[in-house]
Amino acid sequence: MLADGHPVVRCGLRRMIEGTHDLVVGAETGNGHAALELLRSRAWGLAVLDLWIPGRSGLELIKLIKAELPRLPILVFSAQSEEHYALRAIRAGASGYLAKDADPETILSAMRSIASGGVHFTQEVAALLSIDPSRRADAPPHTLLTDREYGIFDRIVRGHALTEIADDLSLSIKTISTHKSHILDKLNLHGHVDLVRYAIEHKLLDPTLE
């Protein structure tokens, strides 16, 4: 089951999979709520998820899926930086994490490995796993944000309006504003400009993602 907010990406993955003899796309969607319903509807061998998908945050979606379907293998296929999201996705329950610039052979190999009960991480992700920064005594404040807080923080510093974030995550603007306040408190910052400056100083903004 493919869940990605970009139709072009889903089309590319589907065509890639259709060229194999051992993999098939049973369903696809561009919405997190629909993805969860699809996964509940029948048995699946693999779920391929983007992290930024309308309806639900990808990390929260992973947690919901694993709570209901603990045996379902999940591959995260995302444009979001491995350095900033891979550890969170793995802790949430993903069995693998691939950036969207991976080559077709690597993508298919990851799908096969995870569907057969294995895991798939790049060398960079494996290195991150061995030095999980959130466990260090001197961990930077952003590593201590919850998954939802980090997702909102990431969207804010990339220029997304609070109303846009609320619509994307199916939350009220009041809830998003409350999360923003908590983020500012945890990072010991005072406003939007400070958030952007913090993201730049900690190299959390990857221009290739825009």
Side-chain angles (χ1 to χ4, degrees):
M1 198 281 296
L2 304 179
D4 192 293
H6 297 88
V8 171
V9 174
R10 296 201 307 272
C11 179
L13 286 173
R14 184 175 65 251
R15 290 187 176 181
M16 185 190 310
I17 292 169
E18 287 172 349
T20 70
H21 67 282
D22 57 338
L23 298 170
V24 63
V25 178
E28 63 180 79
T29 180
N31 180 276
H33 294 299
L36 190 56
E37 290 304 313
L38 283 169
L39 291 173
R40 288 168 172 163
S41 69
R42 50 165 285 192
W44 297 90
L46 175 68
V48 180
L49 308 177
D50 186 12
L51 285 181
W52 276 21
I53 183 170
R56 280 195 183 274
S57 159
L59 293 171
E60 292 183 355
L61 182 58
I62 293 171
K63 292 177 183 178
L64 285 170
I65 292 169
K66 297 304 287 188
E68 294 191 28
L69 306 166
R71 295 177 180 269
L72 177 66
I74 297 173
L75 170 63
V76 172
F77 183 61
S78 181
Q80 309 311 311
S81 169
E82 290 180 340
E83 180 181 359
H84 305 138
Y85 275 98
L87 291 182
R88 291 177 180 272
I90 293 163
R91 288 197 295 260
S95 297
Y97 192 103
L98 276 181
K100 286 186 175 178
D101 59 359
D103 61 81
E105 184 177 340
T106 298
I107 296 169
L108 292 174
S109 175
M111 289 180 179
R112 292 185 174 106
S113 175
I114 293 172
S116 61
V119 296
H120 186 98
F121 307 123
T122 64
Q123 291 182 344
E124 291 76 13
V125 171
L128 289 171
L129 285 170
S130 68
I131 55 169
D132 186 345
S134 68
R135 297 182 180 179
R136 299 194 331 242
D138 62 343
H142 66 269
T143 65
L144 305 179
L145 295 175
T146 67
D147 290 336
R148 167 146 285 181
E149 287 169 347
Y150 191 85
I152 292 172
F153 163 73
D154 199 14
R155 286 169 166 85
I156 289 173
V157 298
R158 293 184 193 284
H160 295 244
L162 297 189
T163 52
E164 180 184 357
I165 298 171
D167 289 342
D168 190 35
L169 299 181
S170 298
L171 296 172
S172 70
I173 185 65
K174 181 179 179 180
T175 298
I176 298 298
S177 296
T178 299
H179 280 301
K180 181 181 179 181
S181 296
H182 291 164
I183 293 165
L184 289 168
D185 288 342
K186 288 186 177 183
L187 300 185
N188 194 26
L189 300 174
H190 303 290
H192 183 89
V193 173
D194 289 337
L195 288 174
V196 175
R197 183 181 296 115
Y198 180 98
I200 293 172
E201 290 176 349
H202 288 80
K203 297 181 171 59
L204 302 179
L205 282 173
D206 184 346
T208 64
L209 299 183
E210 297 301 328

